[in-house]
Amino acid sequence: MKNRLKVLRAERNWSQAELAARLEVSRQSVNAIETGKYDPSLPLAFRIADLFGLAIEEIFLRD
Amino acid sequence: MAGKSGASRRYTRRMAAAMTIYLAAIAAGEYLIDGGRVAGPLLWFFALLPGLAIAAAVYVLGLYIVEETDEFIRMITVHQALIATGLTLTFAAIWGFLENYGLVGHFELYWIVVLWFFGFGIGALVARAIHGSWGMHR
């Protein structure tokens, strides 16, 4: 699944480690989600959406 | 959570404790059982101890999977465990038939656990290749 996580992170000048800390996950998780290697669970997707103040479908896009 | 998670640190500490008990049990078994210094219930206790220490190691890994809060790392660990289990079961089946047909020597069953953890290491390599992460070994 495609997502805009990398762009949204870059807009806020956050490193992967910073975003990981805010989400309370590992940097590897952020990297795997950004590169499309891992689709997060619904609870984590909601945490990501809440952090950026967006709806899930504004971050995660259908293939 | 830039480095190791709390669950990962607890795993390392608990696994070190289990392995320490295992090594002590092996040493005690060699001295007390092989040396003929114990009998009866004590003999059974020291004979069971190394296996129970291994059971503790398996339980420690299970605890880690339950306690890890990072879902991606947890998924990788479960993937590793499945690879390890698949490899170990395959080895056991193949070796069992070869041994049955007299083509290979006897395989001591307690080595199966060592093989499983070796498979877990191979699982880490596979996880790195597929998911781009070493999982709990980060």
Side-chain angles (χ1 to χ4, degrees), chain A residues 17-51:
Chain A
E18 277 179 282
L19 176 57
R22 287 170 193 268
L23 292 170
E24 296 184 334
V25 299
S26 63
R27 192 196 58 76
Q28 286 91 333
S29 298
V30 169
N31 186 57
I33 296 168
E34 275 189 7
T35 53
K37 286 180 176 166
Y38 177 71
D39 292 331
S41 68
L42 211 44
L44 179 53
F46 271 116
R47 284 212 320 265
I48 294 168
D50 289 346
L51 181 64

mmCIF file of all heavy atoms in Angstrom, chain A residues 17-51:
data_model
loop_
_atom_site.group_PDB
_atom_site.id
_atom_site.type_symbol
_atom_site.label_atom_id
_atom_site.label_comp_id
_atom_site.label_asym_id
_atom_site.label_seq_id
_atom_site.Cartn_x
_atom_site.Cartn_y
_atom_site.Cartn_z
ATOM 1 N N ALA A 17 13.868 8.691 13.060
ATOM 2 C CA ALA A 17 13.986 8.401 14.492
ATOM 3 C C ALA A 17 13.028 9.279 15.305
ATOM 4 O O ALA A 17 12.415 8.811 16.276
ATOM 5 C CB ALA A 17 15.420 8.604 14.952
ATOM 6 N N GLU A 18 12.916 10.565 14.891
ATOM 7 C CA GLU A 18 12.002 11.466 15.607
ATOM 8 C C GLU A 18 10.553 11.015 15.471
ATOM 9 O O GLU A 18 9.796 10.994 16.441
ATOM 10 C CB GLU A 18 12.138 12.889 15.047
ATOM 11 C CG GLU A 18 13.285 13.675 15.639
ATOM 12 C CD GLU A 18 13.368 15.061 15.005
ATOM 13 O OE1 GLU A 18 13.880 15.150 13.876
ATOM 14 O OE2 GLU A 18 12.904 16.020 15.627
ATOM 15 N N LEU A 19 10.182 10.649 14.237
ATOM 16 C CA LEU A 19 8.814 10.189 14.001
ATOM 17 C C LEU A 19 8.565 8.895 14.794
ATOM 18 O O LEU A 19 7.501 8.727 15.412
ATOM 19 C CB LEU A 19 8.573 9.950 12.499
ATOM 20 C CG LEU A 19 7.210 9.374 12.128
ATOM 21 C CD1 LEU A 19 6.070 10.260 12.634
ATOM 22 C CD2 LEU A 19 7.091 9.197 10.613
ATOM 23 N N ALA A 20 9.573 8.010 14.786
ATOM 24 C CA ALA A 20 9.448 6.745 15.519
ATOM 25 C C ALA A 20 9.211 7.008 17.005
ATOM 26 O O ALA A 20 8.356 6.376 17.629
ATOM 27 C CB ALA A 20 10.698 5.902 15.307
ATOM 28 N N ALA A 21 9.960 7.955 17.562
ATOM 29 C CA ALA A 21 9.822 8.283 18.985
ATOM 30 C C ALA A 21 8.420 8.819 19.269
ATOM 31 O O ALA A 21 7.804 8.471 20.282
ATOM 32 C CB ALA A 21 10.884 9.298 19.385
ATOM 33 N N ARG A 22 7.910 9.677 18.371
ATOM 34 C CA ARG A 22 6.569 10.239 18.575
ATOM 35 C C ARG A 22 5.491 9.157 18.500
ATOM 36 O O ARG A 22 4.459 9.253 19.157
ATOM 37 C CB ARG A 22 6.285 11.322 17.531
ATOM 38 C CG ARG A 22 7.050 12.611 17.787
ATOM 39 C CD ARG A 22 6.927 13.566 16.613
ATOM 40 N NE ARG A 22 7.875 14.661 16.711
ATOM 41 C CZ ARG A 22 7.605 15.831 17.295
ATOM 42 N NH1 ARG A 22 6.414 16.042 17.798
ATOM 43 N NH2 ARG A 22 8.525 16.771 17.355
ATOM 44 N N LEU A 23 5.729 8.144 17.666
ATOM 45 C CA LEU A 23 4.747 7.059 17.515
ATOM 46 C C LEU A 23 4.991 5.922 18.507
ATOM 47 O O LEU A 23 4.203 4.979 18.577
ATOM 48 C CB LEU A 23 4.810 6.496 16.087
ATOM 49 C CG LEU A 23 4.344 7.416 14.971
ATOM 50 C CD1 LEU A 23 4.698 6.834 13.605
ATOM 51 C CD2 LEU A 23 2.846 7.661 15.068
ATOM 52 N N GLU A 24 6.122 6.007 19.220
ATOM 53 C CA GLU A 24 6.532 4.955 20.158
ATOM 54 C C GLU A 24 6.697 3.607 19.452
ATOM 55 O O GLU A 24 6.216 2.561 19.911
ATOM 56 C CB GLU A 24 5.542 4.848 21.326
ATOM 57 C CG GLU A 24 5.506 6.116 22.175
ATOM 58 C CD GLU A 24 4.608 5.997 23.393
ATOM 59 O OE1 GLU A 24 3.658 5.187 23.347
ATOM 60 O OE2 GLU A 24 4.858 6.698 24.366
ATOM 61 N N VAL A 25 7.355 3.659 18.294
ATOM 62 C CA VAL A 25 7.732 2.431 17.580
ATOM 63 C C VAL A 25 9.217 2.532 17.233
ATOM 64 O O VAL A 25 9.847 3.564 17.484
ATOM 65 C CB VAL A 25 6.902 2.226 16.285
ATOM 66 C CG1 VAL A 25 5.420 2.095 16.591
ATOM 67 C CG2 VAL A 25 7.147 3.353 15.298
ATOM 68 N N SER A 26 9.769 1.481 16.639
ATOM 69 C CA SER A 26 11.187 1.504 16.265
ATOM 70 C C SER A 26 11.371 2.288 14.957
ATOM 71 O O SER A 26 10.419 2.445 14.179
ATOM 72 C CB SER A 26 11.690 0.078 16.075
ATOM 73 O OG SER A 26 11.001 -0.528 15.001
ATOM 74 N N ARG A 27 12.609 2.770 14.748
ATOM 75 C CA ARG A 27 12.911 3.462 13.486
ATOM 76 C C ARG A 27 12.722 2.508 12.312
ATOM 77 O O ARG A 27 12.288 2.906 11.225
ATOM 78 C CB ARG A 27 14.347 3.997 13.514
ATOM 79 C CG ARG A 27 14.662 4.978 12.380
ATOM 80 C CD ARG A 27 16.145 5.178 12.224
ATOM 81 N NE ARG A 27 16.842 3.928 11.952
ATOM 82 C CZ ARG A 27 16.835 3.302 10.781
ATOM 83 N NH1 ARG A 27 16.148 3.779 9.764
ATOM 84 N NH2 ARG A 27 17.499 2.166 10.632
ATOM 85 N N GLN A 28 13.033 1.233 12.540
ATOM 86 C CA GLN A 28 12.857 0.226 11.487
ATOM 87 C C GLN A 28 11.400 0.147 11.033
ATOM 88 O O GLN A 28 11.114 -0.062 9.852
ATOM 89 C CB GLN A 28 13.296 -1.163 11.979
ATOM 90 C CG GLN A 28 14.789 -1.327 12.092
ATOM 91 C CD GLN A 28 15.291 -0.958 13.474
ATOM 92 O OE1 GLN A 28 14.686 -0.147 14.165
ATOM 93 N NE2 GLN A 28 16.393 -1.542 13.882
ATOM 94 N N SER A 29 10.485 0.309 11.991
ATOM 95 C CA SER A 29 9.058 0.267 11.648
ATOM 96 C C SER A 29 8.699 1.420 10.727
ATOM 97 O O SER A 29 8.014 1.226 9.719
ATOM 98 C CB SER A 29 8.199 0.343 12.914
ATOM 99 O OG SER A 29 8.448 -0.745 13.737
ATOM 100 N N VAL A 30 9.162 2.628 11.096
ATOM 101 C CA VAL A 30 8.882 3.807 10.272
ATOM 102 C C VAL A 30 9.452 3.601 8.871
ATOM 103 O O VAL A 30 8.776 3.846 7.858
ATOM 104 C CB VAL A 30 9.475 5.080 10.921
ATOM 105 C CG1 VAL A 30 9.424 6.254 9.951
ATOM 106 C CG2 VAL A 30 8.723 5.418 12.196
ATOM 107 N N ASN A 31 10.676 3.111 8.804
ATOM 108 C CA ASN A 31 11.319 2.877 7.513
ATOM 109 C C ASN A 31 10.534 1.857 6.680
ATOM 110 O O ASN A 31 10.313 2.053 5.490
ATOM 111 C CB ASN A 31 12.760 2.396 7.741
ATOM 112 C CG ASN A 31 13.518 2.289 6.429
ATOM 113 O OD1 ASN A 31 13.634 3.247 5.687
ATOM 114 N ND2 ASN A 31 13.995 1.089 6.123
ATOM 115 N N ALA A 32 10.104 0.774 7.330
ATOM 116 C CA ALA A 32 9.370 -0.279 6.614
ATOM 117 C C ALA A 32 8.029 0.235 6.102
ATOM 118 O O ALA A 32 7.595 -0.120 5.001
ATOM 119 C CB ALA A 32 9.165 -1.488 7.530
ATOM 120 N N ILE A 33 7.359 1.091 6.892
ATOM 121 C CA ILE A 33 6.069 1.648 6.462
ATOM 122 C C ILE A 33 6.300 2.627 5.305
ATOM 123 O O ILE A 33 5.603 2.574 4.290
ATOM 124 C CB ILE A 33 5.345 2.332 7.644
ATOM 125 C CG1 ILE A 33 4.982 1.310 8.717
ATOM 126 C CG2 ILE A 33 4.082 3.052 7.150
ATOM 127 C CD1 ILE A 33 4.526 1.920 10.036
ATOM 128 N N GLU A 34 7.295 3.497 5.469
ATOM 129 C CA GLU A 34 7.578 4.506 4.426
ATOM 130 C C GLU A 34 7.905 3.874 3.075
ATOM 131 O O GLU A 34 7.500 4.365 2.027
ATOM 132 C CB GLU A 34 8.768 5.374 4.863
ATOM 133 C CG GLU A 34 8.382 6.528 5.756
ATOM 134 C CD GLU A 34 9.535 7.494 5.988
ATOM 135 O OE1 GLU A 34 10.605 7.344 5.350
ATOM 136 O OE2 GLU A 34 9.359 8.387 6.807
ATOM 137 N N THR A 35 8.657 2.791 3.120
ATOM 138 C CA THR A 35 9.087 2.151 1.874
ATOM 139 C C THR A 35 8.057 1.146 1.349
ATOM 140 O O THR A 35 8.303 0.461 0.360
ATOM 141 C CB THR A 35 10.444 1.435 2.081
ATOM 142 O OG1 THR A 35 10.328 0.556 3.205
ATOM 143 C CG2 THR A 35 11.565 2.429 2.326
ATOM 144 N N GLY A 36 6.925 1.053 2.035
ATOM 145 C CA GLY A 36 5.846 0.182 1.573
ATOM 146 C C GLY A 36 6.101 -1.294 1.824
ATOM 147 O O GLY A 36 5.393 -2.152 1.289
ATOM 148 N N LYS A 37 7.117 -1.601 2.668
ATOM 149 C CA LYS A 37 7.393 -3.015 2.956
ATOM 150 C C LYS A 37 6.455 -3.557 4.023
ATOM 151 O O LYS A 37 6.334 -4.764 4.201
ATOM 152 C CB LYS A 37 8.845 -3.179 3.421
ATOM 153 C CG LYS A 37 9.846 -3.036 2.298
ATOM 154 C CD LYS A 37 11.260 -3.211 2.811
ATOM 155 C CE LYS A 37 12.245 -3.150 1.649
ATOM 156 N NZ LYS A 37 13.620 -2.985 2.100
ATOM 157 N N TYR A 38 5.850 -2.650 4.784
ATOM 158 C CA TYR A 38 4.955 -3.086 5.861
ATOM 159 C C TYR A 38 3.765 -2.150 5.948
ATOM 160 O O TYR A 38 3.928 -0.926 5.975
ATOM 161 C CB TYR A 38 5.720 -3.102 7.192
ATOM 162 C CG TYR A 38 4.855 -3.466 8.369
ATOM 163 C CD1 TYR A 38 4.388 -4.758 8.533
ATOM 164 C CD2 TYR A 38 4.503 -2.512 9.324
ATOM 165 C CE1 TYR A 38 3.577 -5.099 9.606
ATOM 166 C CE2 TYR A 38 3.700 -2.842 10.400
ATOM 167 C CZ TYR A 38 3.240 -4.136 10.542
ATOM 168 O OH TYR A 38 2.446 -4.470 11.601
ATOM 169 N N ASP A 39 2.565 -2.739 5.966
ATOM 170 C CA ASP A 39 1.345 -1.961 6.177
ATOM 171 C C ASP A 39 0.986 -2.019 7.655
ATOM 172 O O ASP A 39 0.817 -3.112 8.200
ATOM 173 C CB ASP A 39 0.183 -2.545 5.351
ATOM 174 C CG ASP A 39 0.417 -2.361 3.856
ATOM 175 O OD1 ASP A 39 1.090 -1.393 3.481
ATOM 176 O OD2 ASP A 39 -0.065 -3.207 3.073
ATOM 177 N N PRO A 40 0.859 -0.866 8.310
ATOM 178 C CA PRO A 40 0.583 -0.879 9.751
ATOM 179 C C PRO A 40 -0.811 -1.395 10.067
ATOM 180 O O PRO A 40 -1.700 -1.374 9.212
ATOM 181 C CB PRO A 40 0.712 0.599 10.138
ATOM 182 C CG PRO A 40 0.397 1.343 8.902
ATOM 183 C CD PRO A 40 0.901 0.495 7.770
ATOM 184 N N SER A 41 -0.984 -1.836 11.304
ATOM 185 C CA SER A 41 -2.307 -2.245 11.771
ATOM 186 C C SER A 41 -3.204 -1.003 11.821
ATOM 187 O O SER A 41 -2.705 0.134 11.781
ATOM 188 C CB SER A 41 -2.197 -2.852 13.172
ATOM 189 O OG SER A 41 -1.844 -1.826 14.095
ATOM 190 N N LEU A 42 -4.493 -1.225 11.952
ATOM 191 C CA LEU A 42 -5.429 -0.101 12.035
ATOM 192 C C LEU A 42 -5.134 0.799 13.247
ATOM 193 O O LEU A 42 -5.103 2.036 13.103
ATOM 194 C CB LEU A 42 -6.869 -0.640 12.065
ATOM 195 C CG LEU A 42 -7.956 0.233 11.433
ATOM 196 C CD1 LEU A 42 -7.511 0.823 10.106
ATOM 197 C CD2 LEU A 42 -9.225 -0.580 11.271
ATOM 198 N N PRO A 43 -4.873 0.229 14.439
ATOM 199 C CA PRO A 43 -4.549 1.105 15.578
ATOM 200 C C PRO A 43 -3.320 1.988 15.325
ATOM 201 O O PRO A 43 -3.325 3.178 15.658
ATOM 202 C CB PRO A 43 -4.292 0.121 16.728
ATOM 203 C CG PRO A 43 -5.099 -1.077 16.383
ATOM 204 C CD PRO A 43 -5.028 -1.179 14.883
ATOM 205 N N LEU A 44 -2.269 1.421 14.717
ATOM 206 C CA LEU A 44 -1.066 2.224 14.446
ATOM 207 C C LEU A 44 -1.348 3.254 13.351
ATOM 208 O O LEU A 44 -0.876 4.396 13.419
ATOM 209 C CB LEU A 44 0.111 1.320 14.056
ATOM 210 C CG LEU A 44 1.431 2.021 13.726
ATOM 211 C CD1 LEU A 44 1.862 2.970 14.851
ATOM 212 C CD2 LEU A 44 2.541 1.007 13.442
ATOM 213 N N ALA A 45 -2.148 2.859 12.354
ATOM 214 C CA ALA A 45 -2.514 3.804 11.288
ATOM 215 C C ALA A 45 -3.281 4.993 11.882
ATOM 216 O O ALA A 45 -3.055 6.145 11.499
ATOM 217 C CB ALA A 45 -3.363 3.096 10.237
ATOM 218 N N PHE A 46 -4.150 4.737 12.854
ATOM 219 C CA PHE A 46 -4.882 5.823 13.518
ATOM 220 C C PHE A 46 -3.924 6.712 14.314
ATOM 221 O O PHE A 46 -4.080 7.940 14.336
ATOM 222 C CB PHE A 46 -5.975 5.249 14.445
ATOM 223 C CG PHE A 46 -7.289 5.037 13.745
ATOM 224 C CD1 PHE A 46 -7.825 3.770 13.592
ATOM 225 C CD2 PHE A 46 -8.002 6.120 13.238
ATOM 226 C CE1 PHE A 46 -9.037 3.569 12.947
ATOM 227 C CE2 PHE A 46 -9.217 5.936 12.587
ATOM 228 C CZ PHE A 46 -9.734 4.656 12.438
ATOM 229 N N ARG A 47 -2.914 6.092 14.959
ATOM 230 C CA ARG A 47 -1.930 6.897 15.726
ATOM 231 C C ARG A 47 -1.169 7.818 14.781
ATOM 232 O O ARG A 47 -0.919 8.983 15.089
ATOM 233 C CB ARG A 47 -0.941 5.974 16.458
ATOM 234 C CG ARG A 47 -1.521 5.333 17.678
ATOM 235 C CD ARG A 47 -0.548 5.059 18.818
ATOM 236 N NE ARG A 47 0.778 4.566 18.525
ATOM 237 C CZ ARG A 47 1.109 3.272 18.530
ATOM 238 N NH1 ARG A 47 0.203 2.342 18.726
ATOM 239 N NH2 ARG A 47 2.352 2.908 18.319
ATOM 240 N N ILE A 48 -0.807 7.269 13.592
ATOM 241 C CA ILE A 48 -0.091 8.062 12.590
ATOM 242 C C ILE A 48 -0.982 9.212 12.120
ATOM 243 O O ILE A 48 -0.557 10.368 12.065
ATOM 244 C CB ILE A 48 0.349 7.170 11.397
ATOM 245 C CG1 ILE A 48 1.386 6.141 11.861
ATOM 246 C CG2 ILE A 48 0.915 8.031 10.267
ATOM 247 C CD1 ILE A 48 1.666 5.047 10.844
ATOM 248 N N ALA A 49 -2.237 8.887 11.822
ATOM 249 C CA ALA A 49 -3.181 9.901 11.340
ATOM 250 C C ALA A 49 -3.389 10.991 12.390
ATOM 251 O O ALA A 49 -3.372 12.192 12.077
ATOM 252 C CB ALA A 49 -4.509 9.235 10.984
ATOM 253 N N ASP A 50 -3.540 10.583 13.644
ATOM 254 C CA ASP A 50 -3.743 11.554 14.736
ATOM 255 C C ASP A 50 -2.530 12.472 14.877
ATOM 256 O O ASP A 50 -2.667 13.670 15.115
ATOM 257 C CB ASP A 50 -3.992 10.815 16.060
ATOM 258 C CG ASP A 50 -5.363 10.147 16.084
ATOM 259 O OD1 ASP A 50 -6.192 10.478 15.216
ATOM 260 O OD2 ASP A 50 -5.589 9.290 16.968
ATOM 261 N N LEU A 51 -1.333 11.870 14.736
ATOM 262 C CA LEU A 51 -0.097 12.663 14.893
ATOM 263 C C LEU A 51 -0.006 13.767 13.836
ATOM 264 O O LEU A 51 0.397 14.895 14.147
ATOM 265 C CB LEU A 51 1.119 11.725 14.792
ATOM 266 C CG LEU A 51 2.489 12.374 14.965
ATOM 267 C CD1 LEU A 51 2.646 12.942 16.382
ATOM 268 C CD2 LEU A 51 3.603 11.363 14.700
#
